[in-house]
Amino acid sequence: MPRNIAVTSALPYANGPIHMGHLVEYIQTDIFVRFQKLCGNRCLYFCADDTHGTAIMISAKTEGITPEQLIERVHNDHHKDLAAFHIEFDNFYSTHSPENKELSELIFSRLNEKGSIAKRTIAQTYCDNCKMFLPDRYIRGECPRCHAPDQYGDSCEACSGTHSPTELLNPKCAHCGNTPIRKQSEHYFFKLADYEKPLKKLIDAGHTHKSVANKLDEWFSTGLKDWDISRDGPYFGFKIPGEDDKYFYVWLDAPIGYMASAKNYCDKHNLNFEDVWNGDDWQIYHFIGKDIMYFHALFWPAMLMGSGFKTANNLFVHGFLTVNGEKMSKSRGTFIKAATYLNHLDPEFLRYYYASKLTAAVEDIDLSVDDFISKTNSDLVGKFANLASRSGPMLCKYLDSKLGTLDEQGRLLIDELIAAKQQILNDYEGLNYSSAIRTITALADSANRYVEQNQPWTTIKNDLDTTRTTLTAVINAVRILSIYLKPVLPAFAEKIEKFLNISPQCFADIDKVLENHTINKFARLFERIDKDKVQAMIDESKDTQAAPAPQQTNIEPLAPECTIEDFMKVDLRIAKVLDAKPVEGADKLLELKLDIGCCTKTVFAGIAKAYKPEDLVGKIVVCVANLKPRKMKFGLSEGMILAAGQGDADIFMLTTDSGPSPGQRVK
């Protein structure tokens, strides 16, 4: 009985390009979807761009365009890149859609009616320099649990824990680098702890992988916290009904985007959305990365439970991608965009390599460049393509392109390939792609040994009938192997189908035999990877993605070294600017009157091109308090404030509106 299946992948954020790390998930999901369709199941693949949040708003403002223009452009780029890697969505939509707005408001209202939403006033992180409340991803700091540095305001990539932005240690605004302040604001909260028992029941029933369940047990043991689901304006997203300047947090409407994409598809294809998403006849599978499993394994199913929607049948979680054993790096050229890869290499090479590494476990996979080249050339070129190239051209050139029938030896080979069918199907179904690939390559080895044993290049000289019989077995092996590989290598399988002059194949065709059949002219299937092409891709990634080198114009060489004893003579003090005014006859100088606690000092600073005097009054700065006074024609300068830059308007001071009291020493 065919199954009805809806499948989703995590939504790519509309604030950057698709890269090779993203492709792990989309390739993993696409293989699963293609496999289900080849088994005769109805399987619909839904996804969308994740389009809301302050980061989108700021990026659009920086470019001088509207957020809508930005997300439309990125949507087109994402869809183009993913399609080039043969990712075949049934619907690739956007979270900035009427369907998503409708469903977000519906789920929120149902949760509210159920008593699962609370309102309370909290302290939010606010950047006084940017004049805005900071979204989670615009705050960086030290994880309050494992103390990993440079983590986001909502979760830690090192320990996978979640936290609120106000819990971060040593927080900084990711946009300007200033230390944010706390500001009171009333917010909406989802009462996650109310759903602890049904969530545990869901996890215990096998909702996700055992290792994920073990991680969730850690979070259950520490206690589930209420989840802040609102954000203050300015914010690009959906306004909360009844509010003037509060919006749904992007993490509320992003997973609802799965449902919105499905609804958009259903409305276009005369399907009942309620049946697809909430009916017993449909199964739902989510594919995500381990960095967002807290949201998808706890918040998301709890929201669905509370609003009357069924939860997914399974949550499949994968690990991160490393390259040569390390995190992807822009400086090393291993942070590779999908578009950059496509400039140099066949997308099916990457699909095959990822498939050869992926299992059902939540493990990181490593792309070793040397192994990637070796495996591609050995398997795709040396085994699969080679098997077709050793049989097809000979059959076309000498035997009128026509197959014969199998003999006993050929039948044994084909039976061996057919006998592996159930194991391969089980591996695909269970996401153990690496096991499936190992089985398929072993079968290809058997077929290539058969060719070596029968040596058709020798028999073609004096025994055409035997040669035809041999090549008939080889061609049938090629056909079966191409079906087994079709979820992973759809373009390769299509080329084989065209070459063999057959209709599109599925797993039900495995048991069939092709005999007394005319094939088409053979065309090359793959080219070997040249290491120079891979290096060119890496070099291009360095050029286009690495941070630009700082301008060296007018940069002075370092001064002679000083000792720590020399440096300790400098007395750095917190100072408050009491007054600031221009200096007559000096267009670059400002005269500052500083309160350094024990006394006041007058300092002449060359910052007039960068700062207005009235903007500095009341600011907290750092002053070199024990600098020997210097007599200038404008007066006596009794110190120096810390600033850096190339001069004129390119001068930057360490300032804040509040901080330690004047006079405190900086250590």
Side-chain angles (χ1 to χ4, degrees):
M1 184 76 176
R3 296 152 62 192
N4 294 314
I5 305 169
V7 176
T8 72
S9 292
L11 313 183
Y13 197 44
N15 199 34
I18 300 296
H19 57 68
M20 289 175 66
H22 294 131
L23 287 167
V24 171
E25 182 171 310
Y26 299 113
I27 288 173
Q28 181 189 38
T29 313
D30 186 74
I31 290 172
F32 182 80
V33 171
R34 288 180 181 274
F35 162 72
Q36 297 296 343
K37 291 179 177 179
L38 289 169
C39 287
N41 296 321
R42 186 176 195 180
C43 188
L44 301 177
Y45 185 7
F46 302 121
C47 198
D49 267 335
D50 181 5
T51 59
H52 288 157
T54 311
I56 298 291
M57 181 182 69
I58 290 175
S59 293
K61 185 177 180 181
T62 301
E63 292 190 36
I65 58 177
T66 65
E68 289 82 2
Q69 288 172 317
L70 173 65
I71 63 176
E72 181 181 4
R73 186 191 72 209
V74 174
H75 181 82
N76 292 333
D77 290 343
H78 283 180
H79 193 268
K80 178 182 176 183
D81 288 345
L82 292 167
F85 278 88
H86 310 307
I87 312 298
E88 196 172 73
F89 300 107
D90 288 278
N91 201 44
F92 185 68
Y93 202 38
S94 168
T95 60
H96 192 63
S97 69
E99 294 91 346
N100 203 22
K101 184 175 186 293
E102 174 190 338
L103 287 166
S104 296
E105 292 176 355
L106 173 66
I107 289 174
F108 176 79
S109 66
R110 288 181 177 179
L111 293 173
N112 201 20
E113 290 169 6
K114 194 170 183 177
S116 296
I117 303 295
K119 286 179 73 174
R120 63 174 179 264
T121 300
I122 59 169
Q124 292 283 95
T125 49
Y126 183 85
C127 181
D128 205 38
N129 184 55
C130 296
K131 303 300 180 187
M132 62 185 292
F133 287 97
L134 295 175
D136 301 337
R137 294 276 156 152
Y138 262 69
I139 307 168
R140 307 287 291 200
E142 184 181 323
C143 174
R145 289 175 178 79
C146 72
H147 300 286
D150 198 32
Q151 298 301 313
Y152 289 117
D154 58 350
S155 61
C156 176
E157 292 180 336
C159 70
S160 297
T162 62
H163 45 255
S164 69
T166 54
E167 292 178 298
L168 269 186
L169 305 177
N170 303 314
K172 298 291 181 184
C173 171
H175 187 61
C176 70
N178 278 11
T179 300
I181 62 173
R182 295 191 181 189
K183 196 170 183 178
Q184 297 292 315
S185 179
E186 189 175 57
H187 274 249
Y188 289 87
F189 286 82
F190 174 55
K191 297 159 72 174
L192 179 63
D194 289 357
Y195 294 87
E196 181 174 344
K197 287 184 179 179
L199 284 171
K200 283 185 174 179
K201 184 178 179 181
L202 178 71
I203 301 305
D204 291 343
H207 178 64
T208 189
H209 193 272
K210 183 62 178 175
S211 62
V212 177
N214 291 338
K215 185 65 181 179
L216 295 175
D217 281 340
E218 295 179 24
W219 290 325
F220 282 126
S221 65
T222 59
L224 302 182
K225 298 180 180 179
D226 289 357
W227 178 37
D228 188 349
I229 58 171
S230 59
R231 289 296 182 268
D232 294 280
Y235 196 80
F236 181 59
F238 297 137
K239 274 190 178 180
I240 297 175
E243 292 285 351
D244 292 329
D245 199 32
K246 291 202 184 295
Y247 298 78
F248 288 128
Y249 175 38
V250 61
W251 261 110
L252 180 130
D253 67 61
I256 296 173
Y258 303 142
M259 302 170 70
S261 183
K263 189 175 190 309
N264 178 259
Y265 177 89
C266 290
D267 291 345
K268 290 178 179 178
H269 293 84
N270 199 29
L271 280 173
N272 188 313
F273 167 72
E274 188 70 20
D275 290 343
V276 172
W277 201 267
N278 230 21
D280 293 334
D281 293 337
W282 282 79
Q283 298 169 311
I284 300 174
Y285 298 125
H286 294 315
F287 285 77
I288 63 161
K290 67 180 180 180
D291 56 325
I292 54 175
M293 62 186 182
Y294 193 98
F295 297 99
H296 280 78
L298 297 176
F299 293 135
W300 176 230
M303 284 171 53
L304 293 170
M305 292 172 181
S307 57
F309 288 99
K310 75 175 187 181
T311 57
N313 296 76
N314 282 99
L315 177 69
F316 299 131
V317 184
H318 64 82
F320 296 139
L321 174 72
T322 58
V323 180
N324 294 329
E326 299 177 326
K327 287 182 67 175
M328 293 188 298
S329 164
K330 292 181 180 181
S331 63
R332 289 189 293 269
T334 56
F335 189 95
I336 301 168
K337 294 188 296 185
T340 304
Y341 177 99
L342 292 167
N343 288 339
H344 301 274
L345 298 170
D346 189 322
E348 294 210 310
F349 294 166
L350 193 67
R351 287 180 66 100
Y352 181 79
Y353 191 79
Y354 282 173
S356 74
K357 295 282 187 175
L358 281 164
T359 70
V362 189
E363 299 171 342
D364 294 348
I365 68 170
D366 184 55
L367 194 160
S368 162
V369 171
D370 290 339
D371 184 48
F372 171 67
I373 296 171
S374 174
K375 186 180 289 289
T376 300
N377 289 338
S378 173
D379 292 0
L380 294 186
V381 180
K383 294 180 181 178
F384 302 121
N386 186 52
L387 196 62
S389 67
R390 298 172 87 180
S391 54
M394 190 180 299
L395 197 66
C396 293
K397 185 174 181 180
Y398 299 108
L399 299 168
D400 301 322
S401 304
K402 190 170 183 178
L403 299 177
T405 58
L406 295 176
D407 63 3
E408 184 178 354
Q409 187 186 13
R411 185 74 247 185
L412 287 173
L413 171 65
I414 300 308
D415 286 347
E416 179 188 350
L417 270 62
I418 293 173
K421 176 181 177 180
Q422 195 56 53
Q423 178 185 343
I424 293 171
L425 297 187
N426 291 343
D427 283 337
Y428 275 130
E429 179 71 40
L431 304 185
N432 290 309
Y433 301 162
S434 62
S435 177
I437 294 299
R438 284 194 300 273
T439 301
I440 298 168
T441 53
L443 295 175
D445 287 338
S446 293
N448 277 294
R449 280 195 298 271
Y450 172 87
V451 176
E452 293 294 331
Q453 291 165 1
N454 288 275
Q455 298 188 359
W457 55 87
T458 298
T459 60
I460 194 67
K461 299 173 183 177
N462 50 33
D463 192 343
L464 297 183
D465 289 340
T466 297
T467 305
R468 192 189 303 273
T469 300
T470 298
L471 296 182
T472 297
V474 178
I475 289 295
N476 273 277
V478 168
R479 184 188 67 85
I480 293 172
L481 291 170
S482 72
I483 298 173
Y484 285 149
L485 288 168
K486 197 170 184 178
V488 180
L489 304 175
F492 169 79
E494 186 177 346
K495 291 176 185 177
I496 293 294
E497 290 162 355
K498 183 178 180 181
F499 156 52
L500 297 185
N501 191 27
I502 54 178
S503 60
Q505 303 284 284
C506 63
F507 283 108
D509 297 314
I510 291 287
D511 300 338
K512 299 175 182 177
V513 176
L514 206 59
E515 294 180 313
N516 300 313
H517 173 81
T518 302
I519 65 172
N520 292 321
K521 184 178 180 181
F522 175 79
R524 289 185 68 84
L525 299 167
F526 288 120
E527 299 293 338
R528 292 178 64 85
I529 294 184
D530 187 279
K531 193 167 185 177
D532 290 344
K533 288 186 177 181
V534 178
Q535 189 59 50
M537 176 181 68
I538 293 172
D539 290 342
E540 183 181 341
S541 297
K542 290 179 182 177
D543 293 339
T544 60
Q545 291 180 279
Q551 294 290 331
Q552 296 299 313
T553 308
N554 299 325
I555 298 296
E556 297 178 3
L558 294 177
E561 289 182 352
C562 67
T563 66
I564 187 64
E565 289 77 18
D566 293 332
F567 185 76
M568 290 301 293
K569 294 177 182 178
V570 179
D571 188 355
L572 298 177
R573 296 289 178 115
I574 299 297
K576 184 175 183 178
V577 181
L578 301 177
D579 189 28
K581 58 186 178 183
V583 176
E584 187 175 348
D587 60 354
K588 293 184 179 182
L589 289 180
L590 292 182
E591 182 180 345
L592 307 179
K593 188 174 183 180
L594 304 179
D595 175 9
I596 62 169
C598 60
C599 60
T600 61
K601 284 183 176 285
T602 298
V603 171
F604 291 94
I607 58 173
K609 296 286 188 181
Y611 294 90
K612 295 179 180 178
E614 59 269 23
D615 292 340
L616 293 176
V617 176
K619 294 284 188 183
I620 301 298
V621 298
V622 178
C623 171
V624 180
N626 64 334
L627 187 68
K628 184 177 180 179
R630 179 188 176 196
K631 180 66 175 176
M632 305 175 69
K633 70 176 183 178
F634 312 105
L636 186 68
S637 184
E638 300 173 293
M640 180 181 292
I641 58 170
L642 294 193
Q646 295 186 26
D648 293 334
D650 291 325
I651 289 288
F652 304 92
M653 288 195 306
L654 181 63
T655 65
T656 183
D657 287 338
S658 60
S661 301
Q664 292 191 29
R665 191 165 186 177
V666 179
K667 297 183 179 180

